[in-house]
Amino acid sequence: MREEVFELLEGLNHKIMAYDGTDMLEDEIIESMEIMDIVVALEEHFHMEVPPELIVPEYFMTKETIVRLAEDALKEQ
């Protein structure tokens, strides 16, 4: 799953994959509107729904937290 999420992120914003910091929102690697693009891409790729309660900044801090978002959303299915 990790590699699939990384491929999606690379296609959405190549800066995400190069980022080594701890808060992509604060460092302006992604903008709030891109969060919805990421959620939609995950939902379409993995044929799932990301519950609204999981769409919180903590899941969009790094590429690894986005992987965790996908994993947690799949668990809720």
Side-chain angles (χ1 to χ4, degrees), residues 52-68:
E53 63 268 15
L54 295 184
I55 303 173
V56 295
E58 292 78 18
Y59 276 117
F60 298 92
M61 307 279 279
T62 67
K63 58 187 172 263
E64 295 297 337
T65 60
I66 295 172
V67 171
R68 196 163 35 246

Side-chain angles (χ1 to χ4, degrees), residues 30-63:
I30 60 172
E31 298 176 0
S32 57
M33 289 302 295
E34 285 180 287
I35 288 174
M36 292 314 300
D37 294 338
I38 292 167
V39 169
V40 169
L42 292 172
E43 289 179 331
E44 289 177 355
H45 183 80
F46 293 107
H47 307 286
M48 64 165 177
E49 186 173 324
V50 176
E53 63 268 15
L54 295 184
I55 303 173
V56 295
E58 292 78 18
Y59 276 117
F60 298 92
M61 307 279 279
T62 67
K63 58 187 172 263

Side-chain angles (χ1 to χ4, degrees), residues 18-36:
Y19 182 71
D20 287 328
T22 59
D23 191 338
M24 289 193 290
L25 291 166
E26 184 177 299
D27 292 339
E28 299 180 357
I29 300 302
I30 60 172
E31 298 176 0
S32 57
M33 289 302 295
E34 285 180 287
I35 288 174
M36 292 314 300

